[in-house]
């Protein structure tokens, strides 16, 4: 169950959907089950994200460009993002580098003014629990009593 958590400037619902679908398709093309991919988005409030001690979003920025066509302040592309990816520990450097690039493209981050960090947290499947048919299970080796060993393994981070 690979997870991608995006913290960024406000994105429109359609931009979040496009990015989530693109990342899900990429992960599915690289061995994950699409139904097990989790992508979440969190908008970071002004003056809450700093790089080198400098805020990447200030209250002045919000006032200056905070009204999109729909008046929400949301954008079709991010100005900056901080992303955490939890993937199986067997995923190699090439996989992580390609996924980081895919995330950059999915969020529309390019140019000199963009800022992006992607952190990978290799996660053992047995450390992830999820609700399945009314009970909690994990992708690890210790399956709950009465459950097939394979069931949890099918949901692992691959």
């Amino acid at each position: 169950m690979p997870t991608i958590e995006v913290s960024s400037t406000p994105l429109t619902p359609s931009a979040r959907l496009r990015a989530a679908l693109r990342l899900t398709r990429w992960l599915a093309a690289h061995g994950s089950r699409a139904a097990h991919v989790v992508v979440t988005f969190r908008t970071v409030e002004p003056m809450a994200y700093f790089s080198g001690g400098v805020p990447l979003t200030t209250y002045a920025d919000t006032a200056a460009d905070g009204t999109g066509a729909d008046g929400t302040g949301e954008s079709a592309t991010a100005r900056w993002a901080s992303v955490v990816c939890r993937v199986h520990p067997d995923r190699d450097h090439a996989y992580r580098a390609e996924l980081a690039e895919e995330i950059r493209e999915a969020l529309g981050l390019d140019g000199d003014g963009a800022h992006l960090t992607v952190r990978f947290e290799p996660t053992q499947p047995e450390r992830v629990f999820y609700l399945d048919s009314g009970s909690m299970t994990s992708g690890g080796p210790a399956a709950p009593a009465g459950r097939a060993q394979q069931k949890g393994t099918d949901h692992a981070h691959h």
Side-chain angles (χ1 to χ4, degrees):
M1 185 173 285
T3 61
I4 299 174
E5 298 174 1
V6 179
S7 298
S8 70
T9 52
L11 294 170
T12 63
S14 61
R16 292 189 301 264
L17 177 60
R18 272 194 308 276
L21 288 173
R22 179 174 177 156
L23 295 171
T24 298
R25 288 177 181 139
W26 188 92
L27 287 160
H30 289 82
S32 295
R33 289 186 176 178
H36 299 159
V37 174
V38 176
V39 181
T40 61
F41 295 87
R42 182 174 66 91
T43 299
V44 177
E45 66 181 74
M47 300 299 291
Y49 188 87
F50 297 79
S51 178
V54 177
L56 293 183
T57 303
T58 65
Y59 286 106
D61 292 337
T62 304
D65 66 7
T67 54
D70 60 3
T72 64
E74 297 171 336
S75 176
T77 59
R79 289 196 346 224
W80 60 264
S82 176
V83 180
V84 177
C85 299
R86 290 178 184 87
V87 296
H88 195 280
D90 291 347
R91 297 299 191 174
D92 65 9
H93 178 78
Y95 173 93
R96 293 187 308 270
E98 288 175 28
L99 179 52
E101 180 61 26
E102 190 67 18
I103 289 167
R104 183 194 67 77
E105 291 177 12
L107 296 175
L109 286 160
D110 54 10
D112 294 334
H115 175 85
L116 173 64
T117 58
V118 179
R119 184 176 78 231
F120 287 92
E121 295 180 353
T123 304
Q124 292 290 344
E126 65 267 13
R127 293 182 176 238
V128 178
F129 287 81
Y130 54 91
L131 185 62
D132 183 31
S133 302
S135 64
M136 296 302 294
T137 188
S138 77
R147 292 196 166 261
Q149 176 68 27
Q150 186 62 32
K151 183 159 189 131
T153 306
D154 285 346
H155 291 70
H157 283 249
H158 282 278

